[in-house]
Amino acid sequence: MNRSRALTIGVVLAVVGMAAFPMAASAATDVAVDIEQSPETGEALVTVTENETAVENATVNVSSESAYAGNGSYDTDENGTVTLPNPNETVTVQVNVTANGTTESTQVELVPYEQSLDVSAEQQEDNTTLVTVTQYDDPVENATVEVEGDDAIAGNYTTDENGTVTLEQPENDGNVTITATADDLSAQTTVELDGYAELGVTAEQQSDGVYVTVTYGSEAVENATVDVEADGDYAGTGTHTTDENGEVALPLPQENVTITVTATAENETAETTTDLTVEFVEESGPFGQAVSSFVSALQTAGFDGPPGQAVSDFVTGNNPGNADEAPGQSGDAPGQSGDASGQSDDDGNETDDAPGQSGDAPGQSDDDGNETDDAPGQSGDAPGQSDDDGNETDDAPGQSDNDGNETDENDGDADEIEAADEEDEADEDDEDDDGGDSDADDSGNNGGSDDAPGNSGNAPGQN
């Protein structure tokens, strides 16, 4: 009995001893699954680790709702990996991994290699645009980025080590297309960006009209509203609409005016002021062409009313023949100045200095309005000319005497010749008394002396 008690006690002690010294707990496990597609092939590499150590012979089950050649069950190799094939199309797969009694699940989207390059663009707060190129979410360095859609930023760029390119703000609002290329892969995206450009308007006078142009940045604006006002009479005032080139054609002015042009498009306005003049521009070509262009401009501008008066005013104001400086109109033009040969002086009288107009010119009048006698062939003694009394001299061979009778010199009638000479001497005495051509006076005039050839009594044919 004592022996049995002792056994019971021993069992109790053993149990107590076991309670006092518990069994060691099993270590916690951390199983992880990582899936990455290769940038060279598009194959998906599944890696299983436990406490960051590769797990060999872990079970990997792959499934998807759509067809995928990689669906199935696999065992990891000594590196803890399983390789899945490149998908034919983008597919979402479920991957369940069991290792050392622990199961870990993950879901991933697999993208075909041919579609693996990706490009994105985002406009920043400073209005620059950050373009990022990736492949399977990894940045791609040295990828080519082509930008189209806005002249201010269009061109080719190259990504940096972060796979990025920074673009300046575009000129115009609108869509920009960005294409990234790396090796044999490409990706494209379109993004809407805010530009810095504003609505603009210009007005320019040309030889055939006044042209208003409305632009948004470098782009022509069609169907913009153009309001024209003027500080004078101008046929182009009113409201107009731009054509497909962003233009409105207005007529040339009929008087010098200043116009104010206001353009409106898409809730934006722009304004400009331009001076228009009626000055004719010779480089524009023949004046008739300018008139024709003016008429066309009136029609284009929708001129309301008969064009006759407008055209008449244009011709009057622009005809180059009306300008003070036009050739043949200025006071200094050849044949127009007061000093020009044969032209009037400042008092409106013809100048005396012009060749053939002065009092001393051969055959011209003297200061008293009488024709000078000194001109060759004009003096009273010249052969075949009249004397101071208007009678033709007798001394010329075969000429009439003072009474209208032909001289007798050819017949040897000395008496008639002597009578004629006496009459001539009497006429000369009268001239001396009247201030006419005396021998003394004539000696100071060119060709006027009695001894001048053809005038002396001894000249051939003279007495």
Side-chain angles (χ1 to χ4, degrees):
M1 184 174 179
N2 290 338
R3 182 181 177 184
S4 174
R5 183 179 177 184
L7 181 58
T8 301
I9 293 173
V11 172
V12 172
L13 291 174
V15 172
V16 172
M18 290 179 65
F21 304 98
M23 296 178 61
S26 61
T29 61
D30 185 10
V31 176
V33 179
D34 181 67
I35 305 174
E36 289 186 1
Q37 286 188 264
S38 168
E40 288 80 23
T41 64
E43 294 177 334
L45 185 67
V46 180
T47 301
V48 180
T49 60
E50 184 177 6
N51 297 325
E52 299 183 356
T53 300
V55 177
E56 186 179 4
N57 294 323
T59 301
V60 177
N61 288 313
V62 179
S63 62
S64 65
E65 294 182 358
S66 58
Y68 172 51
N71 289 341
S73 182
Y74 306 84
D75 291 332
T76 58
D77 57 16
E78 65 277 12
N79 297 316
T81 62
V82 168
T83 300
L84 303 178
N86 176 45
N88 294 326
E89 61 183 5
T90 300
V91 59
T92 299
V93 296
Q94 179 74 31
V95 179
N96 298 322
V97 176
T98 302
N100 297 325
T102 301
T103 301
E104 185 70 30
S105 298
T106 188
Q107 193 175 66
V108 66
E109 183 180 73
L110 301 180
V111 177
Y113 168 78
E114 295 78 9
Q115 302 173 15
S116 60
L117 197 68
D118 184 61
V119 60
S120 62
E122 182 178 1
Q123 193 165 23
Q124 311 296 300
E125 291 184 359
D126 62 356
N127 289 319
T128 62
T129 300
L130 184 66
V131 178
T132 303
V133 180
T134 59
Q135 185 183 19
Y136 295 130
D137 296 329
D138 291 331
V140 178
E141 186 178 3
N142 293 325
T144 299
V145 174
E146 182 182 6
V147 179
E148 298 176 298
D150 188 279
D151 292 340
I153 60 174
N156 293 326
Y157 305 81
T158 301
T159 57
D160 58 16
E161 65 275 9
N162 300 314
T164 62
V165 166
T166 300
L167 304 177
E168 297 297 328
Q169 185 179 11
E171 182 180 19
N172 301 307
D173 293 343
N175 293 333
V176 172
T177 300
I178 302 173
T179 303
T181 304
D183 296 329
D184 57 345
L185 302 175
S186 65
Q188 188 177 87
T189 187
T190 299
V191 60
E192 185 175 1
L193 303 178
D194 295 329
Y196 62 80
E198 297 179 349
L199 190 70
V201 60
T202 61
E204 181 182 5
Q205 180 176 354
Q206 299 181 15
S207 61
D208 59 348
V210 178
Y211 292 91
V212 175
T213 304
V214 181
T215 57
Y216 192 86
S218 60
E219 302 294 326
V221 180
E222 185 179 3
N223 294 325
T225 300
V226 174
D227 292 313
V228 181
E229 298 178 350
D231 62 355
D233 186 13
Y234 178 54
T237 57
T239 300
H240 312 268
T241 302
T242 57
D243 58 17
E244 65 274 8
N245 298 316
E247 289 186 344
V248 169
L250 303 176
L252 289 169
Q254 303 169 34
E255 62 182 48
N256 293 345
V257 295
T258 298
I259 62 171
T260 300
V261 181
T262 303
T264 304
E266 308 221 349
N267 297 322
E268 290 191 44
T269 60
E271 184 177 287
T272 188
T273 300
T274 303
D275 294 329
L276 306 181
T277 66
V278 296
E279 180 180 358
F280 180 78
V281 181
E282 291 187 9
E283 289 78 3
S284 64
F287 183 65
Q289 179 180 341
V291 175
S292 177
S293 299
F294 175 76
V295 174
S296 298
L298 282 178
Q299 295 172 345
T300 302
F303 179 75
D304 186 15
Q309 185 60 46
V311 174
S312 175
D313 292 343
F314 172 81
V315 170
T316 301
N318 291 277
N319 192 331
N322 293 333
D324 291 338
E325 302 299 328
Q329 297 297 332
S330 67
D332 299 330
Q336 299 296 335
S337 66
D339 298 332
S341 303
Q343 300 300 324
S344 302
D345 58 14
D346 294 336
D347 297 325
N349 300 317
E350 191 168 40
T351 61
D352 298 334
D353 299 333
Q357 299 296 335
S358 65
D360 299 332
Q364 301 298 326
S365 301
D366 58 14
D367 294 336
D368 297 325
N370 300 315
E371 189 174 53
T372 62
D373 299 334
D374 300 335
Q378 297 295 335
S379 67
D381 299 333
Q385 302 297 326
S386 301
D387 59 14
D388 294 335
D389 297 328
N391 299 317
E392 191 168 325
T393 61
D394 313 342
D395 301 337
Q399 301 295 326
S400 300
D401 58 14
N402 294 336
D403 299 326
N405 300 315
E406 188 171 347
T407 61
D408 302 332
E409 224 177 316
N410 292 336
D411 298 332
D413 192 343
D415 292 337
E416 283 192 11
I417 295 174
E418 183 178 354
D421 289 341
E422 290 176 357
E423 185 173 345
D424 288 340
E425 289 176 3
D427 290 340
E428 288 178 1
D429 291 338
D430 292 338
E431 286 178 7
D432 292 341
D433 294 339
D434 297 336
D437 292 336
S438 67
D439 293 344
D441 292 337
D442 290 343
S443 63
N445 296 324
N446 293 334
S449 67
D450 291 338
D451 297 332
N455 288 314
S456 66
N458 299 323
Q462 306 289 334
N463 290 330

